[in-house]
Amino acid sequence: MKIAVIAHLKFPIGQPYLGGLEMHTHHLAGALRRRGHRVTLFASEGSDPLLVPDPVCPPTGDALGDPVAFARIARAEQAAYERIVEMIERGGFDVIHNNSLHPLPLKASHRLAAPMVTALHTPPFDSLSEGVAAAKPGMIFAAVSPSLAQEWAELAPNARIIGNGIDLSTFAFSPAAESAGYVFWSGRIVPEKGTHLAIDAARKAGIPLRFAGPQPNPRYWNEWIAPRLGEGVAYVGHLSHAELARQLGGARAAIVSPRWEEPFGLVVAEALACGTPVAAFARGAIPDIVDRWSGALAGADDVEDLARAIIRAVGLERRACRHRAETLYDAAVMTDGYEDLYREVLSGAAPARRPRLPVLERLIA
C-alpha cells in the first residue's frame, strides 16, 4: 500500500522521544516501511531520517499557557496542515493514517480521494472534537484503549480498539532488579504527569527513586521538582530508549502517577516488558493495562496510597509482567491491527455496529 502518515507537528518524530505519541508514530511508520509499504511521513523538521520523512515545518512546540505563543503556533500549524492536505491530494495514496490531533485533516477528509483512518490518542478536547464531528461520513476511528473509546463514544461510537505497542527487543526482560534497589519514574516532567507525587510517594515508601524525562516546563521543574531532589531522589536525564530500558529493567518497580485520565500509558507497557512491576494511580487506561499479577493501583492523587502500592508492587513476580507485555503490547501486534484496518477501509466494508475488541480487551477481562 501507499500510505500517508500525518504526525503532529509540535516535536520531531525521533529519539529521544518527547512523549508517547512521538514514539507510537515512529514505531508505526518504521514498521509499515519494513513490511514493504510505501510510507510518507508528514512531520516536523528534525524527525528521524531513517523514516524518510517529508518535513513540512520547524517543530511548532508547546505554548505553555502563553496566549501570544498559542496564537503563533495555531497559525503555523494551520498553514502546515493545509500544505500536508494539498500534498496528499496530489500524492496518489491508497490510505491515510491520521495521527495529528489537529482538526484540519479531519475537516479536509471530504475532499481527499483516499480513505482516512484516524487514531484517537487523547481524551476529547474542543478543537479535536470539532474535527471528529466534521469528518467525512463513515470514517473509521481507532482508540488506543477501551477507556479512551468510551470517552469518545458519543462522537465516534464505532471506534476500534488497537492498543499501543512497543519494541520488545529494546525493552528486554530483566529477571532481577539491580542491587541498588531503586524504583523508577519516566515521562515528560510536567504537572499532568505528577512527577512530584511520585517523588513524595517513593519517599514515604522508603525506597530510592530515579526519574527521567524531558523538562518542557521550567516553572514546574523549578518550583515543584528541584526542591525535592536529593535524599534518595536522583534525576538521570532525558534518555534514549536503550538507556531508558536499562534503567527500567534495573528497577524494583516503576511508578506511574498521571493527574489526568491517561489514554494509554506507554511507560506502563515498557516497564512490564522489562519485567518491572508497576505502581500507579488508577486513572484512564491504566487499570486496563495493569492486572493484579503485574502491578498495584492506588487512588487518584493519593500519595499515601501510592506509597502502599509501591510496597506491594516490589514483591510481584517479574516473569508475569513480561508475559503480559508479550501477550498484549508487542508493536508487531499493533501494526497487524492497523494493517487490518487499512484493508477494511480499502475494501469499502461498512463500519461495524460496535467497537471491535481484539485480544486486548479479551485478555483484560
Side-chain angles (χ1 to χ4, degrees), residues 111-290:
R111 72 187 213 228
L112 296 172
M116 180 183 289
V117 169
T118 292
L120 301 170
H121 295 273
T122 69
F125 57 90
D126 287 348
S127 62
L128 185 57
S129 296
E130 290 170 8
V132 169
K136 189 175 183 178
M139 179 181 292
I140 291 182
F141 294 90
V144 298
S145 66
S147 65
L148 186 64
Q150 186 60 41
E151 292 195 62
W152 280 100
E154 184 174 347
L155 285 172
N158 296 313
R160 311 304 201 272
I161 299 171
I162 301 176
N164 283 335
I166 60 171
D167 182 351
L168 294 178
S169 63
T170 297
F171 292 91
F173 177 57
S174 185
E178 290 183 11
S179 59
Y182 62 92
V183 291
F184 190 68
W185 184 99
S186 65
R188 288 182 301 117
I189 301 170
V190 292
E192 61 266 29
K193 295 293 185 180
T195 321
H196 64 292
L197 300 181
I199 294 172
D200 292 348
R203 280 215 170 99
K204 286 184 179 295
I207 303 176
L209 172 72
R210 298 178 189 177
F211 69 104
Q215 304 175 30
N217 189 325
R219 181 175 180 181
Y220 177 63
W221 175 270
N222 292 332
E223 294 182 6
W224 291 88
I225 304 303
R228 287 173 161 83
L229 296 177
E231 300 179 35
V233 175
Y235 175 59
V236 295
H238 185 195
L239 306 178
S240 69
H241 257 198
E243 180 58 21
L244 178 63
R246 191 189 72 77
Q247 293 278 353
L248 263 175
R252 297 177 67 192
I255 306 176
V256 184
S257 51
R259 305 198 72 193
W260 70 321
E261 299 310 308
E262 187 69 58
F264 185 81
L266 276 164
V267 67
V268 181
E270 292 165 354
L272 297 182
C274 293
T276 303
V278 173
F281 291 140
R283 303 198 69 156
I286 292 177
D288 297 337
I289 301 173
V290 175

